[in-house]
Amino acid sequence: MIKPLLFHTGRYFVMLGSTLRKPSNFRMYWKETVRQMYDIGVGSVTIVVLISVFIGAVSAVQFSYQIGGTFIPKYYIGYIVRDMTIIELAPTFTGLVLAGKVGSNMASEIGGMRQKEHIDAMEVMGVNTASYLILPKIIAAVVIIPILVSIGAFVSIIGGYIASVPFGDLTNLDYIKGLRSFFVPFNVVMMLIKALVFAFILTSVSCYQGYYVEGGSIELGKASTNAVVISDVMILLADYIIVLMLTT
Amino acid sequence: MIRCENIFKSFDETEVLKDISIVFESGKNNLIIGKSGAGKTVLLKILVGLLNPTSGKIWYDGHDFTSLNHKELQKLRNEVGMLFQGSALFDSMTVEENIRFPMDMFTKKTKKEKKNRVNYCLERVNLEGINDQFPSEISGGMQKRVGIARSIVMEPNYLFCDEPNSGLDPKTSIVIDELISNITYDDNITTIINTHDMNSVLEIGDNINLLHNGKLAWQGTKSEVLKSQSEELVDFIFASPFLKKLRGQAIDEL
């Protein structure tokens, strides 16, 4: 148990060391980064919006149910939806969902290249494959995922509005009052920090799983599954550590 | 010229290569032959640097390949071309983009210069006009030829071919052998071909190295193959009774 853990951790950092070397041709890296940005951004915005609407809606309905019959003012629904979304739900849910969608895709893509000797072919040419294949993905993810998370947070708040105001739980003014109450700008910073860290984790862990895949299609499937499972666990662990560091 | 000295390679407890020392001459087709599992691919991967030997040295024209620094290794890598068993063409790129890839990555040539070079390489492998097709749209034999075009685009001094005839019909295999052979002689490069195609051995084998159970079992030229009494060589080349009979007839004629 300990030995494989140390082995994979060591190899992960060795891979990161190669990944973060100076690119041999910036133009080629830029082209690849833009392609990845498009894939991650455009390819994931629909699922992020869809999930975010429901997260906001469920949060509003749930909180409305919990404060029913208490003296807590109704406008707190807007306040709670806003803060829950920004601090926790938007970055974490988006991270977990993207680990499944983007992470597994990256592991399969790089793993397939390993199996079809594409990576060997590049190595023989002299390409730093860890850098060329992984760095553009990491850069694209750390740029695009915080944007997706911000979109997700905004849409969640709208989702909370849709689920509560038209159904008479509270008035339009109350919801807006809630949204404008007790606002701490640092929470937005915390959301963006989480998004950055989660983006780095899900891309680097997934690329690691694909980069070192051995064997055939069964191993590739396992690598893809491991990419999602390990990324999810690491994201939740990182979430806890970030919260501890930034709030206590 | 590439020279390997006392190469040993083990994976855990399994010793795959045992004390291999070979000189691969420039301007010649140097063949590594042997049964499946003999260690051919491992040796080839060690020679190109995809695997590290457990012990031993590799010399590329006097440069110790195993002790080069990152910059020197990078420079040397640009002098190496390799044709992979499955061609290893990048699926998402067109034929032209595949061939152009090393130039895009490592040279500052203009678009026109790159285009001209790609066309020249395609011409050399008799595949003019397929620049915009994707690897999935061309046959296995054509993919091999595109692979050859890509491996020579940087004007390499060393060309490695891993089982260039695998999965090809006999006629296409001959075409591929001829192409590799012509490139070797015309450009005076050091070509190392890993094969178990008997036709290749007898047609283009200027220097033949037989691996058997990880050891170098026999060395010679194509003209020496028929006369050789090496048990391992006869067992490998003339595996079927029909071929054994043909060998007998050929020796009688000689």
Side-chain angles (χ1 to χ4, degrees), chain B residues 106-167:
Chain B
F106 298 111
T107 69
K108 286 181 177 152
K109 287 182 178 171
T110 62
K111 270 187 181 177
K112 198 181 171 190
E113 285 170 333
K114 287 178 193 169
K115 179 95 181 166
N116 288 341
R117 180 70 191 159
V118 168
N119 287 339
Y120 170 75
C121 291
L122 280 174
E123 210 175 288
R124 281 195 84 173
V125 297
N126 306 318
L127 280 179
E128 300 97 324
I130 63 155
N131 304 47
D132 297 327
Q133 294 196 35
F134 283 89
S136 58
E137 295 169 344
I138 58 177
S139 71
M142 288 164 92
Q143 286 180 17
K144 292 271 182 183
R145 285 193 272 166
V146 173
I148 294 173
R150 187 176 66 182
S151 65
I152 60 169
V153 77
M154 296 287 278
E155 300 177 61
N157 290 323
Y158 314 98
L159 179 63
F160 295 86
C161 305
D162 187 15
E163 303 201 10
N165 304 319
S166 71

Side-chain angles (χ1 to χ4, degrees), chain A residues 41-245:
Chain A
V42 176
S44 308
V45 73
T46 312
I47 185 84
V48 168
V49 165
L50 198 65
I51 285 169
S52 300
V53 168
F54 284 104
I55 288 172
V58 171
S59 301
V61 173
Q62 193 83 42
F63 190 65
S64 172
Y65 167 73
Q66 281 179 286
I67 64 171
T70 69
F71 293 109
I72 299 171
K74 281 273 187 185
Y75 74 87
Y76 264 52
I77 293 173
Y79 155 57
I80 292 293
V81 168
R82 183 201 70 206
D83 270 9
M84 269 176 69
T85 300
I86 289 177
I87 296 172
E88 182 59 25
L89 296 180
T92 310
F93 263 82
T94 306
L96 296 176
V97 167
L98 293 183
K101 188 185 176 295
V102 177
S104 65
N105 187 36
M106 285 177 180
S108 305
E109 182 187 322
I110 295 181
M113 291 184 79
R114 169 71 72 192
Q115 290 181 335
K116 286 194 265 181
E117 294 183 310
H118 293 177
I119 293 181
D120 284 350
M122 287 185 189
E123 293 269 354
V124 171
M125 289 172 199
V127 177
N128 175 354
T129 53
S131 176
Y132 178 65
L133 295 174
I134 300 171
L135 189 60
K137 289 181 172 58
I138 291 178
I139 292 172
V142 297
V143 171
I144 294 296
I145 289 179
I147 296 172
L148 287 175
V149 168
S150 303
I151 293 171
F154 180 72
V155 172
S156 272
I157 291 167
I158 294 173
Y161 179 90
I162 293 168
S164 51
V165 176
F167 296 99
D169 276 359
L170 76 166
T171 64
N172 183 36
L173 282 177
D174 275 346
Y175 192 79
I176 291 169
K177 186 185 174 190
L179 290 181
R180 298 180 69 173
S181 303
F182 320 114
F183 180 64
V184 181
F186 180 71
N187 288 345
V188 176
V189 175
M190 188 154 64
M191 175 188 80
L192 293 174
I193 290 171
K194 282 187 179 185
L196 272 174
V197 174
F198 298 167
F200 182 81
I201 288 172
L202 80 90
T203 41
S204 60
V205 168
S206 303
C207 289
Y208 171 82
Q209 290 296 328
Y211 192 71
Y212 290 106
V213 76
E214 284 173 358
S217 53
I218 291 175
E219 283 76 12
L220 186 57
K222 277 183 188 166
S224 186
T225 308
N226 285 344
V228 179
V229 174
I230 298 169
S231 295
D232 283 352
V233 173
M234 295 304 291
I235 283 171
L236 293 172
L237 182 66
D239 189 24
Y240 177 64
I241 293 169
I242 292 169
V243 169
L244 276 183
M245 285 170 70

Side-chain angles (χ1 to χ4, degrees), chain A residues 21 24-25 27-29 31-32 35 113 116-128 132, chain B residues 45 48 50 70 74 77-78 80 82 84-86 88-91 101-102 104-106 114 150:
Chain A
R21 277 206 190 131
S24 51
N25 183 324
R27 206 173 51 82
M28 292 286 280
Y29 276 62
K31 211 171 135 190
E32 185 61 17
R35 189 178 75 87
M113 291 184 79
K116 286 194 265 181
E117 294 183 310
H118 293 177
I119 293 181
D120 284 350
M122 287 185 189
E123 293 269 354
V124 171
M125 289 172 199
V127 177
N128 175 354
Y132 178 65
Chain B
K45 285 189 171 181
V48 293
L50 289 174
H70 182 71
Q74 180 65 53
R77 285 233 182 265
N78 291 340
V80 172
M82 183 159 180
F84 283 82
Q85 192 174 351
L89 300 178
F90 310 131
D91 311 317
F101 183 82
D104 284 341
M105 202 55 132
F106 298 111
K114 287 178 193 169
R150 187 176 66 182

